[in-house]
Amino acid sequence: QAISAQALGAREEHHAASMATYSVELRVQIRSGEEGVVKIEVHPEWSPVGAAHFKELVEMGFYNQARFHRVIQGFIAQVGIAADPELYNKYGTNRIKDDPVKQHNVRGMVTFAKRGEPDSRSCQFFFNFVDNTRLDADGFAPFAKVVSGMEFIDKLQVTEGVDQQALKEDGNKYLDKYFPGKVSEIVEAKVV
C-alpha cells in the first residue's frame, strides 16, 4: 500500500523529535570481487526529518542493490535511486521537508541530495569526499557521518554521465546495459 508524501512527511516529523542516534551498515561492492562495509552514524538532532526518512527507507530495503550513479572525485559520491523501478515509483518520489543546516558538508558527512527548490529531498543521498561547505548555504543538511569504512567510499568507481531519468524508469537494467561492471553498488543497507 503506497503512503502519500504528506502522510509520510507527517509521520517522519512526529517520530523525528524522539529518535535517538542510530547506525546503518552499508555492504558496498566496489567492483566485482571487491567489497567493504561502511558504517554511518545517523544523528536526528542534525536533521530530524532527513534522519527519520532515511531510517524508514533503509528498513524497507529501498537502498539494497542501489548503485552509485554519480561519483565525482574531489566532490561527492551519490546514490539512492532504487534498483527496482516499481520500488522507486512507489517511494522514491516522496518529498520531505527541508531541515535547517546544523552541520557542515565536510569529508565523511552524509547528506540528502535536493533540487534547487524548497522541500525537494526524496531518496538520493551523497557522501562528501572533501570539504564542500559551499553546499551549506544551499540548504544541504547533513544527517549522518561515516564512522568506519570511508576508505571504501574513496575506492568507488568514478561514475558520471548516467541518465537519471532512464535509471528511475528502468532501474539497474539500464546500468547493466550501458555501464556494465562500471558502477559500484550498495549490496545491502541495514540498521544495526
Side-chain angles (χ1 to χ4, degrees), residues 142-158:
F143 65 89
K145 67 178 179 179
V146 175
V147 293
S148 65
M150 189 66 189
E151 67 272 20
F152 301 115
I153 298 298
D154 289 334
K155 291 181 181 181
L156 295 173
Q157 296 182 73
V158 172

PDB file of all heavy atoms in Angstrom, residues 142-158:
ATOM      1  N   PRO A 142      23.474  17.889   6.306  1.00  0.00           N
ATOM      2  CA  PRO A 142      23.960  16.553   6.645  1.00  0.00           C
ATOM      3  C   PRO A 142      23.112  15.918   7.750  1.00  0.00           C
ATOM      4  O   PRO A 142      22.675  16.589   8.676  1.00  0.00           O
ATOM      5  CB  PRO A 142      25.388  16.807   7.127  1.00  0.00           C
ATOM      6  CG  PRO A 142      25.796  18.081   6.461  1.00  0.00           C
ATOM      7  CD  PRO A 142      24.531  18.900   6.437  1.00  0.00           C
ATOM      8  N   PHE A 143      22.888  14.611   7.611  1.00  0.00           N
ATOM      9  CA  PHE A 143      22.130  13.873   8.624  1.00  0.00           C
ATOM     10  C   PHE A 143      22.948  12.762   9.265  1.00  0.00           C
ATOM     11  O   PHE A 143      22.512  12.160  10.250  1.00  0.00           O
ATOM     12  CB  PHE A 143      20.824  13.304   8.047  1.00  0.00           C
ATOM     13  CG  PHE A 143      21.032  12.252   6.977  1.00  0.00           C
ATOM     14  CD1 PHE A 143      21.144  10.905   7.306  1.00  0.00           C
ATOM     15  CD2 PHE A 143      21.088  12.608   5.644  1.00  0.00           C
ATOM     16  CE1 PHE A 143      21.326   9.941   6.329  1.00  0.00           C
ATOM     17  CE2 PHE A 143      21.268  11.654   4.655  1.00  0.00           C
ATOM     18  CZ  PHE A 143      21.389  10.312   4.998  1.00  0.00           C
ATOM     19  N   ALA A 144      24.132  12.484   8.734  1.00  0.00           N
ATOM     20  CA  ALA A 144      24.940  11.371   9.237  1.00  0.00           C
ATOM     21  C   ALA A 144      26.406  11.608   8.924  1.00  0.00           C
ATOM     22  O   ALA A 144      26.758  12.492   8.132  1.00  0.00           O
ATOM     23  CB  ALA A 144      24.477  10.055   8.612  1.00  0.00           C
ATOM     24  N   LYS A 145      27.242  10.776   9.558  1.00  0.00           N
ATOM     25  CA  LYS A 145      28.673  10.812   9.252  1.00  0.00           C
ATOM     26  C   LYS A 145      29.197   9.387   9.178  1.00  0.00           C
ATOM     27  O   LYS A 145      28.686   8.474   9.835  1.00  0.00           O
ATOM     28  CB  LYS A 145      29.441  11.599  10.304  1.00  0.00           C
ATOM     29  CG  LYS A 145      29.462  10.959  11.674  1.00  0.00           C
ATOM     30  CD  LYS A 145      30.283  11.782  12.659  1.00  0.00           C
ATOM     31  CE  LYS A 145      30.264  11.143  14.043  1.00  0.00           C
ATOM     32  NZ  LYS A 145      31.060  11.900  14.994  1.00  0.00           N
ATOM     33  N   VAL A 146      30.204   9.193   8.350  1.00  0.00           N
ATOM     34  CA  VAL A 146      30.870   7.897   8.244  1.00  0.00           C
ATOM     35  C   VAL A 146      31.733   7.720   9.491  1.00  0.00           C
ATOM     36  O   VAL A 146      32.532   8.592   9.814  1.00  0.00           O
ATOM     37  CB  VAL A 146      31.735   7.820   6.971  1.00  0.00           C
ATOM     38  CG1 VAL A 146      32.526   6.518   6.932  1.00  0.00           C
ATOM     39  CG2 VAL A 146      30.882   7.982   5.724  1.00  0.00           C
ATOM     40  N   VAL A 147      31.557   6.593  10.184  1.00  0.00           N
ATOM     41  CA  VAL A 147      32.385   6.303  11.359  1.00  0.00           C
ATOM     42  C   VAL A 147      33.404   5.210  11.075  1.00  0.00           C
ATOM     43  O   VAL A 147      34.401   5.092  11.788  1.00  0.00           O
ATOM     44  CB  VAL A 147      31.539   5.965  12.615  1.00  0.00           C
ATOM     45  CG1 VAL A 147      30.768   7.184  13.082  1.00  0.00           C
ATOM     46  CG2 VAL A 147      30.607   4.800  12.378  1.00  0.00           C
ATOM     47  N   SER A 148      33.176   4.419  10.036  1.00  0.00           N
ATOM     48  CA  SER A 148      34.186   3.465   9.575  1.00  0.00           C
ATOM     49  C   SER A 148      33.896   3.095   8.125  1.00  0.00           C
ATOM     50  O   SER A 148      32.747   3.122   7.689  1.00  0.00           O
ATOM     51  CB  SER A 148      34.220   2.208  10.457  1.00  0.00           C
ATOM     52  OG  SER A 148      33.022   1.476  10.360  1.00  0.00           O
ATOM     53  N   GLY A 149      34.952   2.789   7.390  1.00  0.00           N
ATOM     54  CA  GLY A 149      34.809   2.361   6.008  1.00  0.00           C
ATOM     55  C   GLY A 149      34.887   3.461   4.969  1.00  0.00           C
ATOM     56  O   GLY A 149      34.582   3.217   3.797  1.00  0.00           O
ATOM     57  N   MET A 150      35.302   4.659   5.358  1.00  0.00           N
ATOM     58  CA  MET A 150      35.414   5.735   4.361  1.00  0.00           C
ATOM     59  C   MET A 150      36.397   5.346   3.253  1.00  0.00           C
ATOM     60  O   MET A 150      36.251   5.794   2.107  1.00  0.00           O
ATOM     61  CB  MET A 150      35.826   7.048   5.034  1.00  0.00           C
ATOM     62  CG  MET A 150      35.768   8.257   4.121  1.00  0.00           C
ATOM     63  SD  MET A 150      34.072   8.661   3.594  1.00  0.00           S
ATOM     64  CE  MET A 150      34.414   9.913   2.350  1.00  0.00           C
ATOM     65  N   GLU A 151      37.340   4.476   3.573  1.00  0.00           N
ATOM     66  CA  GLU A 151      38.298   4.037   2.549  1.00  0.00           C
ATOM     67  C   GLU A 151      37.588   3.314   1.402  1.00  0.00           C
ATOM     68  O   GLU A 151      38.054   3.330   0.259  1.00  0.00           O
ATOM     69  CB  GLU A 151      39.405   3.159   3.149  1.00  0.00           C
ATOM     70  CG  GLU A 151      38.963   1.800   3.677  1.00  0.00           C
ATOM     71  CD  GLU A 151      38.493   1.795   5.139  1.00  0.00           C
ATOM     72  OE1 GLU A 151      38.136   2.862   5.684  1.00  0.00           O
ATOM     73  OE2 GLU A 151      38.468   0.697   5.730  1.00  0.00           O
ATOM     74  N   PHE A 152      36.438   2.690   1.687  1.00  0.00           N
ATOM     75  CA  PHE A 152      35.679   2.026   0.626  1.00  0.00           C
ATOM     76  C   PHE A 152      34.915   3.047  -0.225  1.00  0.00           C
ATOM     77  O   PHE A 152      34.779   2.871  -1.428  1.00  0.00           O
ATOM     78  CB  PHE A 152      34.738   0.970   1.219  1.00  0.00           C
ATOM     79  CG  PHE A 152      35.476  -0.079   1.997  1.00  0.00           C
ATOM     80  CD1 PHE A 152      35.282  -0.217   3.358  1.00  0.00           C
ATOM     81  CD2 PHE A 152      36.395  -0.914   1.382  1.00  0.00           C
ATOM     82  CE1 PHE A 152      35.971  -1.163   4.089  1.00  0.00           C
ATOM     83  CE2 PHE A 152      37.101  -1.864   2.099  1.00  0.00           C
ATOM     84  CZ  PHE A 152      36.886  -1.993   3.462  1.00  0.00           C
ATOM     85  N   ILE A 153      34.440   4.090   0.399  1.00  0.00           N
ATOM     86  CA  ILE A 153      33.800   5.179  -0.367  1.00  0.00           C
ATOM     87  C   ILE A 153      34.853   5.811  -1.290  1.00  0.00           C
ATOM     88  O   ILE A 153      34.581   6.102  -2.453  1.00  0.00           O
ATOM     89  CB  ILE A 153      33.170   6.231   0.578  1.00  0.00           C
ATOM     90  CG1 ILE A 153      32.057   5.603   1.430  1.00  0.00           C
ATOM     91  CG2 ILE A 153      32.651   7.438  -0.200  1.00  0.00           C
ATOM     92  CD1 ILE A 153      30.878   5.049   0.652  1.00  0.00           C
ATOM     93  N   ASP A 154      36.069   5.984  -0.775  1.00  0.00           N
ATOM     94  CA  ASP A 154      37.147   6.557  -1.584  1.00  0.00           C
ATOM     95  C   ASP A 154      37.483   5.694  -2.808  1.00  0.00           C
ATOM     96  O   ASP A 154      37.979   6.206  -3.810  1.00  0.00           O
ATOM     97  CB  ASP A 154      38.417   6.733  -0.746  1.00  0.00           C
ATOM     98  CG  ASP A 154      38.301   7.843   0.280  1.00  0.00           C
ATOM     99  OD1 ASP A 154      37.495   8.782   0.069  1.00  0.00           O
ATOM    100  OD2 ASP A 154      39.019   7.780   1.301  1.00  0.00           O
ATOM    101  N   LYS A 155      37.219   4.385  -2.735  1.00  0.00           N
ATOM    102  CA  LYS A 155      37.542   3.463  -3.834  1.00  0.00           C
ATOM    103  C   LYS A 155      36.409   3.281  -4.839  1.00  0.00           C
ATOM    104  O   LYS A 155      36.575   2.554  -5.819  1.00  0.00           O
ATOM    105  CB  LYS A 155      37.894   2.085  -3.261  1.00  0.00           C
ATOM    106  CG  LYS A 155      39.187   2.025  -2.496  1.00  0.00           C
ATOM    107  CD  LYS A 155      39.408   0.599  -2.011  1.00  0.00           C
ATOM    108  CE  LYS A 155      40.664   0.455  -1.204  1.00  0.00           C
ATOM    109  NZ  LYS A 155      40.869  -0.942  -0.768  1.00  0.00           N
ATOM    110  N   LEU A 156      35.258   3.897  -4.615  1.00  0.00           N
ATOM    111  CA  LEU A 156      34.134   3.719  -5.540  1.00  0.00           C
ATOM    112  C   LEU A 156      34.544   4.061  -6.962  1.00  0.00           C
ATOM    113  O   LEU A 156      35.336   4.979  -7.190  1.00  0.00           O
ATOM    114  CB  LEU A 156      32.948   4.596  -5.126  1.00  0.00           C
ATOM    115  CG  LEU A 156      32.283   4.271  -3.788  1.00  0.00           C
ATOM    116  CD1 LEU A 156      31.242   5.336  -3.450  1.00  0.00           C
ATOM    117  CD2 LEU A 156      31.667   2.889  -3.791  1.00  0.00           C
ATOM    118  N   GLN A 157      33.964   3.335  -7.904  1.00  0.00           N
ATOM    119  CA  GLN A 157      34.255   3.619  -9.305  1.00  0.00           C
ATOM    120  C   GLN A 157      33.695   4.994  -9.685  1.00  0.00           C
ATOM    121  O   GLN A 157      32.557   5.316  -9.353  1.00  0.00           O
ATOM    122  CB  GLN A 157      33.624   2.547 -10.198  1.00  0.00           C
ATOM    123  CG  GLN A 157      34.211   1.162  -9.955  1.00  0.00           C
ATOM    124  CD  GLN A 157      33.603   0.145 -10.878  1.00  0.00           C
ATOM    125  OE1 GLN A 157      33.906   0.135 -12.076  1.00  0.00           O
ATOM    126  NE2 GLN A 157      32.729  -0.697 -10.363  1.00  0.00           N
ATOM    127  N   VAL A 158      34.511   5.774 -10.359  1.00  0.00           N
ATOM    128  CA  VAL A 158      34.058   7.085 -10.831  1.00  0.00           C
ATOM    129  C   VAL A 158      32.935   6.842 -11.837  1.00  0.00           C
ATOM    130  O   VAL A 158      33.077   6.032 -12.753  1.00  0.00           O
ATOM    131  CB  VAL A 158      35.220   7.878 -11.472  1.00  0.00           C
ATOM    132  CG1 VAL A 158      34.710   9.150 -12.133  1.00  0.00           C
ATOM    133  CG2 VAL A 158      36.273   8.192 -10.430  1.00  0.00           C
TER     134      VAL A 158
END
